[in-house]
Amino acid sequence: MPAVTVENPLTLPRVAAPAEAVARPVLAVTTAPSGFEGEGFPVRRAFAGINYRHLDPFIMMDQMGEVDYQPGEPKGTPWHPHRGFETVTYIIDGIFDHQDSQGGGGTITNGDTQWMTAGGGILHIEAPPEHLVMSGGLFHGLQLWVNLPAKDKMMAPRYQDIRGGSVQLLTSPDGGALLRVIAGELDGHAGPGITHTPITMIHATLAPGAEITLPWREDFNGLAYVLAGKGAVGAERRPIHLGQTAVFGAGGSITVRADDKQDSHTPDLEVVLLGGQPIREPMAHYGPFVMNTREELQQAFEDFQKGRLGTVPAVHGMTESGPQSED
């Protein structure tokens, strides 16, 4: 799991919650069901079974892979529409190409992030490059959906290409954890992602036995999803492992600990930490659209069918496919 790393974390700025910070309790630990997305790549539905009031402003998150494809096996998604939210695609291992109907896009690989604000509407496609399809190889990543408030749902689409080398790297006081701040900020250290809804997104790697207690904005929710390995969350050290999400309650700090022993395939605990300011507006979600009312969803489908969300570039010789269920 290369993502972005450093040889000596002790050269990085160190972060710890102040002693007086109130520890957030763990409200629940859920296990993500497995499924398939797009043209058939395996995913874990990280937020399945979690009440939306604990997720807001996040809508869904899929862990894509980890899968080692044989030649000819790598898969992506066909052209599909979005409206009303932002998609965040974070690639840990492998390569993904993205293109949208506004002319945005590019190739992302180890540690890179594509941040697409769908806003009022856009078409896009995500797929492995042809050379990867031919050769096969390791693929592992995340796609996160972040809601937009009603006032921003119809804004002009926007695309951010966030290279792995631009993320803010931090560590714990003892150097036992590497913290990659992709968006938002942690203890005054800001990541490169620009968000309309205030959030923090961190990919943390904890060495066996390492523990982090991080300051956490009290007006944010708190979520931790395990990409690999096993450990514990909260001051109560509730066990958690690959494919599980922890939901934190109110407070000013969150704690994550890696078990002393990890398996040979997963030497460290890998976890994504998410926090965001709840929007607290009605949400209507169906397929590729996230709006505030059923009527707005119906309008989104009508606009898509009439070509108002954009057209597939003719150079690809492709036609618009129907709305996909996710991503």
Side-chain angles (χ1 to χ4, degrees):
M1 187 174 292
V4 178
T5 189
V6 294
E7 289 188 9
N8 183 8
L10 289 173
T11 62
L12 302 172
R14 305 181 196 188
V15 177
E20 66 273 14
V22 175
R24 287 181 173 237
V26 178
L27 302 182
V29 173
T30 63
T31 300
S34 297
F36 293 91
E37 192 49 69
E39 296 171 338
F41 57 82
V43 298
R44 288 186 175 94
R45 310 288 191 193
F47 295 161
I50 301 175
N51 191 296
Y52 180 63
R53 66 188 176 90
H54 296 309
L55 297 177
D56 186 11
F58 307 109
I59 301 163
M60 59 144 276
M61 186 168 72
D62 283 348
Q63 180 181 10
M64 304 180 294
E66 183 178 5
V67 57
D68 195 358
Y69 284 120
Q70 295 300 307
E73 288 186 342
K75 299 174 176 67
T77 67
W79 283 95
H80 58 281
H82 286 307
R83 172 181 279 180
F85 64 102
E86 299 183 287
T87 68
V88 182
T89 305
Y90 173 51
I91 298 300
I92 300 166
D93 286 292
I95 307 173
F96 229 32
D97 286 340
H98 168 94
Q99 186 181 10
D100 64 47
S101 53
Q102 298 280 323
T107 298
I108 53 174
T109 186
N110 303 342
D112 296 338
T113 303
Q114 290 174 337
W115 200 295
M116 188 185 76
T117 304
I122 200 168
L123 305 179
H124 81 147
I125 186 172
E126 296 164 302
E130 184 62 27
H131 69 84
L132 182 62
V133 175
M134 297 298 291
S135 66
L138 192 62
F139 181 80
H140 190 197
L142 283 177
Q143 184 164 102
L144 171 71
W145 288 14
V146 185
N147 203 2
L148 288 170
K151 66 181 181 63
D152 292 329
K153 282 194 177 293
M154 297 300 289
M155 67 176 292
R158 183 181 66 182
Y159 176 82
Q160 299 176 67
D161 184 15
I162 303 171
R163 292 296 154 184
S166 68
V167 302
Q168 175 68 61
L169 299 179
L170 307 169
T171 191
S172 52
D174 63 359
L178 174 61
L179 308 170
R180 307 167 186 86
V181 184
I182 297 168
E185 67 173 28
L186 180 64
D187 196 30
H189 302 276
I194 300 171
T195 70
H196 290 279
T197 303
I199 73 165
T200 294
M201 179 179 181
I202 297 166
H203 174 191
T205 299
L206 283 74
E211 181 174 294
I212 52 174
T213 297
L214 303 177
W216 212 251
R217 281 181 51 167
E218 294 191 8
D219 60 335
F220 277 20
N221 62 353
L223 302 162
Y225 177 74
V226 178
L227 293 164
K230 54 187 178 178
V233 286
E236 60 269 47
R237 292 195 174 183
R238 186 160 176 178
I240 193 169
H241 59 71
L242 165 66
Q244 291 190 315
T245 302
V247 178
F248 292 93
S253 71
I254 60 173
T255 297
V256 179
R257 186 184 189 281
D259 282 359
D260 293 334
K261 293 183 179 180
Q262 305 287 335
D263 61 42
S264 58
H265 176 67
T266 308
D268 303 308
L269 173 65
E270 304 283 350
V271 60
V272 173
L273 304 174
L274 295 169
Q277 192 172 66
I279 297 174
R280 304 197 194 286
E281 293 177 350
M283 185 185 72
H285 171 203
Y286 188 79
F289 306 124
V290 182
M291 305 303 292
N292 294 102
T293 67
R294 182 178 179 85
E295 290 73 24
E296 290 171 343
L297 282 181
Q298 292 173 333
Q299 184 64 55
F301 274 102
E302 179 181 331
D303 289 347
F304 168 64
Q305 291 166 351
K306 294 185 176 180
R308 297 172 184 152
L309 271 61
T311 56
V312 175
V315 66
H316 289 270
M318 301 172 66
T319 58
E320 294 176 14
S321 60
Q324 304 298 304
S325 61
E326 303 288 0
D327 301 320

